[in-house]
Amino acid sequence: MKKIIGKLKKLVFGHVSILIVLLCIVPLFFVGGGLFRGVEIEQAPMEQEDLIVVGVSQLGSESGWRSAHTLSIQDALTKDAGYFLILNNARQMQENQIKAIRGFISQRVDYIVFAPVIESGWETVLREAKDAEIPVIIIDRMVDVRDESLYTTWIGTDTKEEGKKAGRWLERYLRKMGRASEEINIVVLQGTLGSTAELGRTKGFCEIAEYHDNWHILEQRTGDFTATRGKEVMWDMLRRHEDIDILVSQNDDMTMGAIEAMQEAGISFGEYGAVTVISFDAIYDALELVKKGWINVDIECNPVQGAYIDKIIQRLERGEPVEKSYVVEENVFTKENVEKFMDDRTY
Ligand code: GYE
């Protein structure tokens, strides 16, 4: 009998202890998942030790340009090229980017790469990365920090120059049309406020506009770089301003939204229309509209930055010095030159 009771005890306590262990372990899984809920950071498996682990925080997926940018990173940082890529989408939220970067630091990745949604507010997290001795490569947009040693290098575009190109194109265009001394009403659809692309393009265009007393910027408003917001804001601007001559739209997605708004409102635009359209990015779909004469000019912004990241990491791996910034090349497209560039455009 004693033996039987003993066996029963073992069985019951054996199960109870398994249960206790399970009760302790299972919540840990949930907590672990919860730490990065909404940020979804992939763990680098142990067997990837011979690969270079790169944590990339992409700011979102708001535009065609952004998709091309993300793709170029994925194309460059492949396993075949020796990388283990952890890619995180911050969905336009700085706090998600900060969480992702902290996650990369705690995983001790080899490099942190990130495209900051806006310029301000990065000091603390960048200092954490520096203290952890993880090199940081900033891509696309810039950060506004006093201490430049908080990042290793930056790869991006000269967005202020892009804004100036738009202004200079408009000067030439108005001269060509014999309208250089007419009163010209301009509306501007801005990108995400406080982002390098918005700040640079706004500043660059305004610098040229300042030389012309007859250029009137009626309104500048953000459409957050998306087609939906671009359409909504354009609708509202058309309702409130009767005589818009020029639309400056800081990316192609907003331009496409604004075009829809103008079509619905019965306003003509483009080469033969009332509203001259100036756009930025030059993604394939927009170049088609340049070819059709719907967009008068598209100022290129080059999203193909993945190969630069690879080159820089390889240099750093060999212990070679890198520049503090790399600016990618860009063009200006109008109906006259657009066709010869379209064949090679993959985005
Ligand atoms: O122009 C826009 C995107 O930061 C340069 O962000 C980039 C901009 C690009 O959403 O389409």
Side-chain angles (χ1 to χ4, degrees), residues 130-141:
K130 191 182 173 189
D131 290 346
E133 293 176 9
I134 302 175
V136 173
I137 299 171
I138 298 172
I139 50 169
D140 169 22
R141 302 179 185 173

Side-chain angles (χ1 to χ4, degrees), residues 62-63 65-66 140-141 157 197 201 225 250-251 281 301:
E62 72 287 358
S63 63
W65 189 96
R66 185 66 50 203
D140 169 22
R141 302 179 185 173
T157 61
R201 288 168 193 168
F225 283 132
Q250 292 181 352
N251 88 340
D281 278 0
C301 179

Side-chain angles (χ1 to χ4, degrees), residues 186-207:
I186 303 171
V187 292
V188 182
L189 271 175
Q190 293 170 296
T192 304
L193 295 180
S195 69
T196 306
E198 178 273 312
L199 294 168
R201 288 168 193 168
T202 303
K203 207 162 176 204
F205 183 77
C206 284
E207 269 183 25

Side-chain angles (χ1 to χ4, degrees), residues 32-288:
L35 281 179
F36 297 115
R37 198 172 303 130
V39 184
E40 294 150 28
I41 294 184
E42 204 181 325
Q43 292 286 337
M46 299 304 278
E47 66 269 20
Q48 305 301 342
E49 265 168 9
D50 50 334
L51 297 177
I52 301 169
V53 181
V54 185
V56 177
S57 164
Q58 178 57 288
L59 64 92
S61 45
E62 72 287 358
S63 63
W65 189 96
R66 185 66 50 203
S67 311
H69 188 241
T70 305
L71 205 69
S72 104
I73 298 168
Q74 288 170 318
D75 282 350
L77 305 187
T78 59
K79 281 211 173 117
D80 288 345
Y83 295 99
F84 184 80
L85 171 63
I86 311 170
L87 184 62
N88 177 258
N89 179 349
R91 300 184 182 88
Q92 303 294 318
M93 277 179 280
Q94 183 174 35
E95 63 183 270
N96 285 348
Q97 292 205 277
I98 292 174
K99 267 189 210 164
I101 293 170
R102 292 208 164 116
F104 297 150
I105 295 171
S106 67
Q107 284 182 79
R108 305 222 40 85
V109 298
D110 298 313
Y111 294 89
I112 291 173
V113 175
F114 88 114
V117 60
I118 54 168
E119 292 199 348
S120 57
W122 298 103
E123 258 99 356
T124 312
V125 75
L126 287 183
R127 198 160 293 286
E128 290 166 24
K130 191 182 173 189
D131 290 346
E133 293 176 9
I134 302 175
V136 173
I137 299 171
I138 298 172
I139 50 169
D140 169 22
R141 302 179 185 173
M142 218 341 171
V143 293
D144 181 10
V145 288
R146 270 201 229 132
D147 178 0
E148 282 203 344
S149 77
L150 291 180
Y151 60 89
T152 305
T153 185
W154 169 75
I155 306 159
T157 61
D158 188 344
T159 56
K160 186 169 168 207
E161 183 56 28
E162 290 165 6
K164 280 188 175 175
K165 282 180 186 169
R168 288 192 212 109
W169 177 86
L170 185 58
E171 284 178 331
R172 283 195 301 276
Y173 178 75
L174 292 174
R175 231 179 288 133
K176 193 174 100 193
M177 304 304 278
R179 296 173 64 191
S181 49
E182 267 180 32
E183 300 304 307
I184 301 292
N185 290 333
I186 303 171
V187 292
V188 182
L189 271 175
Q190 293 170 296
T192 304
L193 295 180
S195 69
T196 306
E198 178 273 312
L199 294 168
R201 288 168 193 168
T202 303
K203 207 162 176 204
F205 183 77
C206 284
E207 269 183 25
I208 304 293
E210 268 165 24
Y211 290 112
H212 303 277
D213 292 342
N214 58 323
W215 291 18
H216 309 290
I217 300 185
L218 303 178
E219 204 174 339
Q220 323 202 68
R221 250 164 79 194
T222 183
D224 251 330
F225 283 132
T226 68
T228 329
R229 287 289 296 141
K231 183 173 178 181
E232 276 168 21
V233 176
M234 190 63 188
W235 246 117
D236 199 50
M237 296 206 286
L238 287 170
R239 198 174 50 81
R240 285 177 320 106
H241 308 286
E242 273 186 2
D243 197 10
I244 299 174
D245 298 300
I246 315 288
L247 164 67
V248 178
S249 166
Q250 292 181 352
N251 88 340
D252 287 336
D253 296 72
M254 293 191 295
T255 306
M256 289 179 205
I259 283 178
E260 264 183 55
M262 289 190 278
Q263 283 172 324
E264 287 172 20
I267 305 282
S268 63
F269 53 86
E271 203 180 351
Y272 303 108
V275 180
T276 299
V277 180
I278 299 177
S279 191
F280 291 83
D281 278 0
I283 57 173
Y284 188 87
D285 291 353
L287 293 187
E288 294 230 291

